[in-house]
């Protein structure tokens, strides 16, 4: 550390500590008289643990104020907290340790390895909540990010720094698709946030969907469904902060978050607990304030890029529910996974006609773009006539366009199918697509 940095660090140290006392606990909310603190600041609650038979510190965050009382929410649990427990203000927000030593590790929302291993000394401390890049310093997106999935590379081409939503109901294959992208992508590093997942699914995703090849170039942040709402939100913020750290070092980072819906549900839980009124379908106003702040942090800056895939759970496959609608309006594209396509045994079950990449027109080659548009035309024509075809009401020769769509439907379906262990280069995907469209035009 340089002398100037050392002087600045020493001068920023607080020599006075602020304390308060717990007055009451309501659900997961803790009210204390003092200490002097601000929203987002981390506090330590000193309690005597009956299980460990010693005094421990419980981390909590200031989430609001009520009648001159400080309202806190703990990162872990409220057991052993009693009236009169000492509350100590740290004077700073949550910070995590970041560095190359995290690569290949699975950490909790506080940045600690969940296998109880130790991180090396000397790692950089960063705050989990940061401002998005200045819009005027964001370079335009003009390079393709190859993900190794034919349906995406061919029909929904993604650029370096693009943010895409994967919209799906439960059990349609979004985790499998994320695993394929993580293994096949040309990104320098994967940051994978598993938010609100079942405990069983975390290990299954790592071992089955991600595999050893994917783990080697990934950092996984896991916040399971049994953890408090604050930890689930911090999982998303921590993952984004880690991605920003590596982006600032010139890397092309791939951030995958499963799922942003559970982040919104956690924020709703906190909002209702601190007294916010429910606004849209039970979601509080703070939810719709959090989402753009979180999603806008990814993308490009002058150093590197964060290409982001956010999964969105849609209840009853309703694409117009509040969170899905809000997220779709913020992101640069959306991929819709369709249950009816999955039921036919086609994986990944991407509904191409309902999906869009807003940047494909600017980054894909002209031949590739024309071929994808031609494929969309054939698919759209077939979909419009599908009911007539299925009941036998359509007679061959009635429409040249429908005849052509019927002829190429099996070939298009075969092109879009891909096994989980198959990796296809972008050049091969584009070549197959162009060849297929030329046959269709012929």
């Amino acid at each position: 550390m340089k002398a100037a940095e050392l002087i600045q660090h020493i001068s920023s140290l607080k020599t006075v500590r602020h304390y308060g006392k717990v007055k009451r606990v309501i659900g997961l909310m803790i009210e204390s008289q003092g200490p002097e603190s601000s929203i987002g600041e981390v506090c330590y609650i000193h309690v005597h643990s009956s299980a460990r038979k010693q005094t421990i510190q419980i981390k909590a965050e200031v989430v609001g104020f009520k009648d001159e009382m400080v309202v806190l929410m703990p990162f872990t649990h409220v057991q052993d907290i009693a009236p009169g427990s000492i509350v100590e203000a740290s004077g700073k927000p949550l910070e995590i340790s970041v560095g190359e030593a995290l690569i290949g590790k699975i950490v909790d929302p506080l940045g600690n390895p969940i296998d109880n291993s130790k991180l090396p000394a000397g790692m950089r401390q960063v705050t989990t909540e940061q401002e998005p890049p200045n819009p005027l310093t964001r370079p335009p997106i003009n390079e393709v990010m190859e993900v190794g999935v034919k349906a995406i590379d061919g029909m929904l081409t993604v650029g370096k720094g693009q943010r895409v939503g994967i919209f799906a109901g439960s059990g349609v294959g979004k985790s499998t698709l994320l695993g394929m992208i993580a293994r096949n992508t040309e990104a320098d590093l994967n940051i994978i946030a598993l938010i609100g997942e079942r405990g069983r699914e975390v290990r299954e995703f790592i071992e089955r969907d991600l595999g050893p090849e994917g783990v080697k170039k990934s950092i996984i942040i896991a916040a399971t469904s049994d953890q408090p709402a604050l930890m689930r939100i911090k999982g998303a913020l921590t993952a984004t902060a880690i991605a920003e750290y590596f982006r600032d070092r010139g890397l092309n980072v791939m951030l995958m978050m499963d799922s942003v819906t559970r982040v919104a549900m956690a924020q709703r839980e906190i909002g209702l607990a601190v007294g916010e009124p429910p606004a849209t379908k039970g979601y509080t106003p703070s939810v719709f304030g959090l989402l753009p702040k979180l999603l806008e942090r990814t993308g490009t800056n002058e150093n590197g890029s964060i290409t982001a895939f956010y999964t969105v759970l849609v209840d009853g496959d309703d694409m117009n529910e509040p969170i899905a609608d809000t997220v779709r309006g913020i992101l640069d594209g959306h991929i819709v996974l369709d249950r009816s396509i999955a039921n036919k045994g086609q994986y990944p079950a991407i509904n191409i006609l309902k999906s869009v990449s807003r940047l494909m027109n600017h980054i894909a080659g002209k031949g590739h773009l024309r071929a994808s548009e031609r494929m969309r035309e054939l698919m759209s024509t077939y979909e419009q006539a599908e009911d007539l075809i299925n009941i036998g009401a359509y007679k061959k020769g009635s429409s040249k366009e429908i005849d052509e769509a019927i002829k190429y439907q099996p070939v298009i379906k075969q092109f879009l199918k891909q096994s989980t262990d198959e990796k296809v280069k972008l050049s091969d995907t584009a070549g197959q697509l162009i060849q297929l469209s030329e046959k269709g035009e012929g």
Side-chain angles (χ1 to χ4, degrees), residues 29 39-40 61-65 71-73 230 270 274:
M29 308 307 295
I39 294 286
E61 184 175 291
V62 178
V63 294
F65 305 98
V71 181
L72 303 146
M73 180 167 269
L230 188 60
I270 292 174
V274 297

Side-chain angles (χ1 to χ4, degrees), residues 85 105 149 156 166 185 286 355 370 380 435:
S85 294
K105 288 192 176 291
V149 179
L156 304 161
I166 298 176
T185 181
S286 62
S355 306
R370 280 197 303 270
S380 178
Q435 189 178 19

